[in-house]
Amino acid sequence: MSNGSEVARRIAARSIAKRESGYADEVRRLIDAGRLVMAGSGSGSRPRVADIVTAAGLSNDAFYRHFRSKDDLIAAILEDGTDRLCSYLAHQMGKEATARARFERWVGGVLSQAQVDSAATTRAVLWNVGNVSREAMASPPSVNARLAELLHEPLGELGSRDPVFDARLISGATVGALSDLLWRKESPTSEDVSRIVAACLRLVG
């Protein structure tokens, strides 16, 4: 009986793994489709679930299998975008040997989201996030908090007495500068990066 039970467990585990893989693929397609539809809608109208599932090549049943509402999907799109940005920033910062250079890379990377090639999508996602319910946004950690974590080490090396507090403050200010660029539809310049870096370093002391 024990051998039979082991076979049953193994087959059941294989079936569950296949189902999980299929579900993960559905979620990925819905997130990518949601971002694409948002970019197409811009900041003038919110995308419909029907448009998102059509773009993903899935059904309403598939959508509601993973998300309670469109707001939940928008929150997931923001979290996914934050993951991608943090990964990109960490990679860029890893190329530098000094704390100041890593900090400059971080500022430049955050502001790069206002560059022409990505600004429309970033602007559309943030506009949609602004219309999402508090309940949907309560689960994922804030963008500022995630970005700030990358600054703890370099700010400590630069002399900050409280790197965690300073990182949160600097992250909020830099994301605010990004938002300003996005809504003015302006691309960041090297001077923008330099001025923010200089102001933040004065804050750190």
Side-chain angles (χ1 to χ4, degrees):
M1 286 295 293
S2 61
N3 288 339
S5 297
E6 180 61 32
V7 169
R9 282 194 294 270
R10 189 168 65 250
I11 292 173
R14 189 166 61 228
S15 298
I16 291 171
K18 287 181 179 178
R19 183 181 300 172
E20 288 180 348
S21 176
Y23 284 172
D25 178 66
E26 285 182 354
V27 172
R28 179 75 266 161
R29 288 166 64 183
L30 287 166
I31 288 174
D32 290 344
R35 186 184 294 109
L36 181 66
V37 173
M38 278 185 195
S41 300
S43 56
S45 62
R46 301 187 74 196
R48 301 180 306 161
V49 169
D51 296 330
I52 294 169
V53 297
T54 297
L58 295 170
S59 64
N60 281 352
D61 287 344
F63 181 92
Y64 289 107
R65 178 160 46 241
H66 307 293
F67 301 103
R68 292 171 299 176
S69 66
K70 183 171 55 181
D71 281 1
D72 277 354
L73 173 62
I74 293 171
I77 289 171
L78 178 64
E79 186 174 6
D80 180 66
T82 304
D83 286 345
R84 291 174 183 235
L85 178 56
C86 286
S87 178
Y88 167 74
L89 292 174
H91 177 70
Q92 294 300 312
M93 293 169 74
K95 297 177 180 179
E96 303 295 346
T98 67
R100 181 184 175 111
R102 292 198 297 276
F103 179 58
E104 289 175 346
R105 284 274 193 171
W106 181 93
V107 173
V110 172
L111 294 188
S112 72
Q113 302 310 296
Q115 295 284 5
V116 174
D117 57 346
S118 58
T121 300
T122 305
R123 188 163 48 244
V125 170
L126 292 181
W127 183 84
N128 277 275
V129 167
N131 291 281
V132 167
S133 68
R134 290 185 178 181
E135 180 184 1
M137 294 304 299
S139 176
S142 73
V143 175
N144 281 355
R146 292 283 310 282
L147 295 176
E149 289 176 1
L150 296 170
L151 292 179
H152 295 172
E153 185 176 339
L155 289 182
E157 292 180 31
L158 288 167
S160 170
R161 294 182 180 181
D162 190 343
V164 175
F165 177 84
D166 288 346
R168 288 282 187 116
L169 198 61
I170 290 169
S171 179
T174 307
V175 171
L178 167 63
S179 179
D180 189 46
L181 287 168
L182 285 168
W183 299 119
R184 293 205 318 256
K185 297 185 178 180
E186 296 179 4
S187 292
T189 65
S190 58
E191 183 180 358
D192 292 328
V193 175
S194 297
R195 291 179 66 182
I196 291 174
V197 168
C200 292
L201 292 180
R202 287 196 297 272
L203 170 68
V204 172

